[in-house]
Amino acid sequence: MSDPAAPASVTLDTAALDTLFHSARTFSAWPGTWQDRAVDDALLRRVWELARMGPTSANCSPLRVVFVRTAGAKARLAPALDENNREKTLAAPVTAIVGMDLRFYDKLPYLFPHTDAKSWFDGKPEPQLRTAALRNGSLQGAYLIIAARALGLDCGPMSGFDNALVDRTFFAGTAIESNFLCNLGYGRRESLHPRNPRLSFEEACQVV
Ligand SMILES: Cc1cc2nc3c(=O)[nH]c(=O)nc-3n(C[C@H](O)[C@H](O)[C@H](O)COP(=O)(O)O)c2cc1C
């Protein structure tokens, strides 16, 4: 019988780490044949089921996502895109609008029920609420990318767009604001340029 006190976690193997990190790239070219490998609702749900499990402060979970897939919805998104992001976004099977709900604390009685966490935020100054929403919403956006990669999807995150226009178009009448966009699909690997360097441990980290 296995030791019940043993850690439940395992270290991922090299192939899994490649999928999530080493081989995973930011894609801008999406094959014209992507319809052969549809990014259907079931797959988007699986992405969400994984992404939602990542940690947020007080489990506040401010991430809200609009998966833009239909031609009509893509056409509504198009005017908000920076010129250099338009063509690839229109070609991608799905574009996730990664948003954050500035009224995230309304759901805390459900998400963090053992204490009155809503009172920690309700009525607090807007910059404080925005900081919490942006911090946790961005973390969740990163979890979304890793979740999509874990399920075999390629990602193309973008911040080059008119946030206010996206908010008016997709989040009117809500407290949700866009953070960034992320194209999802199966990218064309031949289109990739050599990968740029990353900072070394010595450049970016200290152990004190
Ligand atoms: C939040 C965010 C915003 C980005 N915005 C844009 C963008 O507007 N347009 C673009 O072409 N690439 C954009 N990128 C792509 C980055 O330049 C790319 O992810 C980075 O250089 C790493 O590339 P790699 O994953 O291929 O190594 C963005 C990436 C992130 C994470």
Side-chain angles (χ1 to χ4, degrees), residues 54-66:
T56 54
S57 63
N59 199 29
C60 67
S61 307
L63 176 66
R64 305 290 181 268
V65 185
V66 176

Side-chain angles (χ1 to χ4, degrees), residues 111-133:
L111 292 170
F112 208 64
H114 51 284
T115 188
D116 181 16
K118 183 175 176 179
S119 68
W120 303 343
F121 299 98
D122 205 359
K124 291 291 181 315
E126 201 262 358
Q128 190 179 325
L129 299 172
R130 183 171 292 279
T131 297

Side-chain angles (χ1 to χ4, degrees), residues 21 24-28 82 84-85 88 145 149 155-161 179-181 192-198:
F21 297 104
R25 293 293 310 275
T26 296
F27 282 82
S28 292
D82 283 6
N84 68 319
N85 285 334
K88 58 190 168 196
I145 291 173
R149 287 175 169 178
C155 298
M158 294 167 292
S159 50
F161 68 99
N179 184 351
F180 66 93
L181 306 177
L192 294 172
H193 54 71
R195 198 170 211 181
N196 286 322
R198 301 299 205 258

